Every structure is written in C-alpha cells, then in structure tokens.
Amino acid sequence: HSVDWYHQLPAHVKGILVTLRNAGHEAYLVGGCVRDLWLGLKPKDFDLVSSASPEEVERLFPRTEGVGRAFGIMIVITENGPVEVARFRADAEYKDGRHPTEVVFSSPEEDAKRRDFTINALFCDPKKGEVIDYVGGVSDLEARRIRCVGDPELRFEEDPLRMLRAARFHSQLAPLGFELDSALSSAVR
C-alpha cells in the first residue's frame, strides 16, 4: 500500500532507519505508529523492527539499553528520546501466560503473525513509501475493526493482558468508529 509519510518522521527516527539500512539490515516502522499514521493521527512514539541482532544494534549506536535483549529488543537512546528497535522474531509456546518459552529470530512475515492485533502488525518502509501488510491490518483499519492476528482465544491464552490491550485500543479508537471484531469479543467473554 502506497503512503507518503517520510516527511512526518522525526529526524532521529529517520537516522536510526538509515543507520540500520546502511549496515545491511532490513528495518521498518512497526505497530502503533504505522496505525496512527494511517489514521492521520500523530504517533506518541515510533517503534522499529529490524533484522539486526541486539549486539549489532549496540555496535551501530553509541547509547543503547538491552531492555528485552533475550527477545531481541533494544532501546536506542537519542537526544530526542528513546526508540525501540526489535528484531524480527517468531515466538515458541507460552507457558506462563505472559512470555514465550523461546524466541526464534525470523522474517518480517513471521514477526507479523506473532503480534496481537492486525492493526498493530503493520510494517512501513517510509523511504519506499509503502505499508507492508501480512495479516489484513489495512483492511481492518479501513473497516474500523479491531481484530486479533489468528485465533483470538489462542492469542489471549498466550497472554491474557492482550484482553486489556483490546479494551484500551477500543476505548482510544471508538471515537473514530472502531469496533471489536465479534470473534475477539467472544474470546474475551
């Protein structure tokens, strides 16, 4: 899907994307910032997803924090604030109702399929001006629908906090006409 958002990105976010790509890595905007840009809203923050390992992120940027290193998540600290950079991953089973027992670093498509809601599983390549959608998130944005990626009962079994996230997104997006998908609502009940 074609978009023209590059000019809306803060310079420090563009800089991180450029640095990752110049080092030979795939790197995209991901999640809520893509959703918000699609809806014409101002994102509260910008998260990135990349093929770079935590060690590679540390080598590329002078200030980082390994907040979720085991899950491939690093924070790049810039003068304009922190930016999360996560590695593409697929999750193994969830045994504690919150965290996967193992993560496997993977492809953008596999990463999208492990995410909670379709409208948060979109990637954006701002330089090419395109949104990459593996899970039907764009059609859900257009339909004003909040829907789980895959089976909602499984998604909530993996991590029950996703039910609260569904309620939060619904309360935030209801003024824009968003409704919960019926299968998601049934799974919450």
Side-chain angles (χ1 to χ4, degrees):
H1 305 274
S2 293
V3 294
D4 180 22
W5 297 335
Y6 193 71
H7 61 284
Q8 295 183 45
L9 300 184
H12 68 289
V13 173
K14 289 179 190 176
I16 294 169
L17 284 166
V18 167
T19 298
L20 289 165
R21 290 194 170 169
N22 285 347
H25 300 289
E26 279 184 275
Y28 305 112
L29 298 171
V30 67
C33 64
V34 179
R35 176 198 66 228
D36 290 349
L37 287 166
W38 187 276
L39 295 172
L41 304 172
K42 183 179 179 182
K44 64 179 175 64
D45 59 16
F46 291 86
D47 292 334
L48 307 179
V49 65
S50 172
S51 59
S53 70
E55 296 76 22
E56 290 165 322
V57 171
E58 279 182 317
R59 281 194 295 274
L60 291 171
F61 300 98
R63 293 184 58 212
T64 61
E65 291 180 15
V67 297
R69 179 184 294 277
F71 300 101
I73 301 169
M74 297 293 288
I75 301 292
V76 175
I77 308 297
T78 73
E79 289 181 11
N80 299 97
V83 177
E84 182 178 291
V85 179
R87 190 170 183 186
F88 300 122
R89 74 177 206 239
D91 295 340
E93 68 180 321
Y94 287 67
K95 287 192 174 179
D96 68 356
R98 183 76 182 109
H99 304 97
T101 56
E102 177 184 19
V103 298
V104 178
F105 298 118
S106 66
S107 68
E109 184 171 2
E110 288 301 311
D111 188 271
K113 289 178 181 177
R114 68 146 186 104
R115 292 180 178 267
D116 54 6
F117 305 105
T118 62
I119 61 173
N120 293 337
L122 299 168
F123 303 127
C124 177
D125 183 337
K127 195 68 173 167
K128 287 185 179 176
E130 65 183 21
V131 168
I132 303 160
D133 180 8
Y134 296 107
V135 295
V138 169
S139 63
D140 286 340
L141 284 171
E142 291 171 344
R144 301 293 200 249
R145 176 179 46 236
I146 300 170
R147 183 172 60 89
C148 285
V149 174
D151 178 359
E153 289 191 23
L154 175 61
R155 282 287 148 335
F156 298 151
E157 242 177 62
E158 291 169 343
D159 184 350
L161 286 177
R162 290 174 172 161
M163 290 184 274
L164 294 176
R165 283 175 51 88
R168 179 172 57 106
F169 290 131
H170 184 246
S171 70
Q172 291 171 335
L173 298 172
L176 299 175
F178 277 79
E179 295 187 3
L180 295 174
D181 178 68
S182 60
L184 184 155
S185 293
S186 294
V188 169
R189 280 192 291 284

